[in-house]
Amino acid sequence: GAVVSQHPSRVICKSGTSVKIECRSLDFQATTMFWYRQFPKKSLMLMATSNEGSKATYEQGVEKDKFLINHASLTLSTLTVTSAHPEDSSFYICSASRDRRRGDTQYFGPGTRLTVL
Amino acid sequence: AQTVTQSQPEMSVQEAETVTLSCTYDTSESDYYLFWYKQPPSRQMILVIRQEAYKQQNATENRFSVNFQKAAKSFSLKISDSQLGDAAMYFCAYGFRSGGSNYKLTFGKGTLLTVNP
């Protein structure tokens, strides 16, 4: 149980285009989903937290107009990188938890590698 | 601010031997959670073990166990009978409630574990 999927696993796009990444909890309802960014050989950096039906909460330094997050249902959250540039190239990982009040375990998706040319 | 420190960038162990990975954290909170995640070359984050701060008993999960020293703010991971499949980057993470109702994770920088046959 507690499986999280991400789609696509890899994406290559041209500079200036927008890219959407989907994160789905397959066998549980996720009240909260998280989006992370990971640079090569580095740790995970939290970008934003989203609760179903609410606006996402962004971490300091993360541009909310550039990284649009939608959490429209209890099983789906999307991250849209708008007007992507080469510096947005990175590994993006989502996670999901069942109960935001209890510090419940976060279950992670397999990640999406974004390359912006 | 909460910080997580993993002082060992790399560790190695012989197959079937035991290895301990170190983690310390800094917090003024009393209610929090601690986790160890592993990230193999596939980059899928996998939960290894979880510890609630209010529990004095150390968590165990098959060959994996922790030594949780709350006063010392230490949370080490012991891997017994190491297997080749244990080779991965291991991240220590501290879960806390920030402001509102959401719990967030702060990750250490990771320890790369090599298992030698």
Side-chain angles (χ1 to χ4, degrees):
Chain A
V3 178
V4 177
S5 70
Q6 263 184 260
H7 178 79
S9 57
R10 291 175 177 264
V11 58
I12 301 173
C13 69
K14 293 182 178 180
S15 185
T17 62
S18 295
V19 174
K20 181 183 284 188
I21 302 170
E22 291 187 348
C23 176
R24 294 181 185 272
S25 56
L26 299 184
D27 53 2
F28 67 99
Q29 293 186 326
T31 56
T32 307
M33 287 185 166
F34 305 82
W35 287 95
Y36 295 85
R37 186 171 178 175
Q38 186 179 30
F39 291 100
K41 299 184 179 180
K42 297 290 185 182
S43 189
L44 279 72
M45 181 190 77
L46 179 65
M47 299 174 64
T49 303
S50 72
N51 294 311
E52 184 265 339
S54 303
K55 288 185 178 181
T57 302
Y58 291 81
E59 294 300 300
Q60 193 171 9
V62 178
E63 300 176 59
K64 60 182 179 182
D65 293 332
K66 179 166 193 60
F67 299 100
L68 301 179
I69 292 171
N70 182 275
H71 191 167
S73 77
L74 285 171
T75 59
L76 174 64
S77 177
T78 60
L79 167 68
T80 301
V81 182
T82 62
S83 187
H85 291 285
E87 58 265 30
D88 299 324
S89 298
S90 190
F91 193 67
Y92 293 88
I93 308 176
C94 74
S95 70
S97 66
R98 281 175 283 217
D99 189 335
R100 61 187 174 190
R101 297 163 300 173
R102 287 178 44 244
D104 201 6
T105 301
Q106 292 184 26
Y107 298 95
F108 286 81
T112 297
R113 180 178 301 282
L114 170 64
T115 302
V116 185
L117 302 176
Chain B
Q2 291 82 0
T3 58
V4 178
T5 302
Q6 293 180 249
S7 59
Q8 307 152 316
E10 297 184 21
M11 290 282 284
S12 64
V13 63
Q14 289 296 127
E15 196 175 3
E17 297 293 309
T18 296
V19 64
T20 299
L21 308 183
S22 300
C23 173
T24 59
Y25 57 96
D26 185 25
T27 184
S28 57
E29 303 291 330
S30 58
D31 180 23
Y32 54 89
Y33 298 77
L34 295 163
F35 304 85
W36 279 97
Y37 284 91
K38 67 181 278 190
Q39 187 179 42
S42 67
R43 301 192 76 173
Q44 168 76 60
M45 293 285 285
I46 301 167
L47 175 68
V48 175
I49 203 163
R50 158 195 164 116
Q51 174 82 45
E52 290 90 343
Y54 63 86
K55 289 186 177 179
Q56 292 186 334
Q57 186 173 6
N58 290 324
T60 63
E61 195 70 42
N62 300 316
R63 297 183 294 107
F64 299 88
S65 62
V66 297
N67 183 2
F68 174 46
Q69 301 291 327
K70 190 172 184 178
K73 297 178 184 176
S74 171
F75 183 62
S76 61
L77 174 69
K78 186 171 81 171
I79 306 174
S80 303
D81 186 25
S82 298
Q83 300 176 1
L84 295 177
D86 295 333
M89 180 71 87
Y90 285 80
F91 290 100
C92 177
Y94 165 88
F96 66 102
R97 179 179 294 178
S98 175
S101 59
N102 289 311
Y103 271 83
K104 300 196 295 187
L105 292 180
T106 296
F107 287 88
K109 292 187 176 182
T111 297
L112 181 62
L113 177 66
T114 302
V115 181
N116 301 310

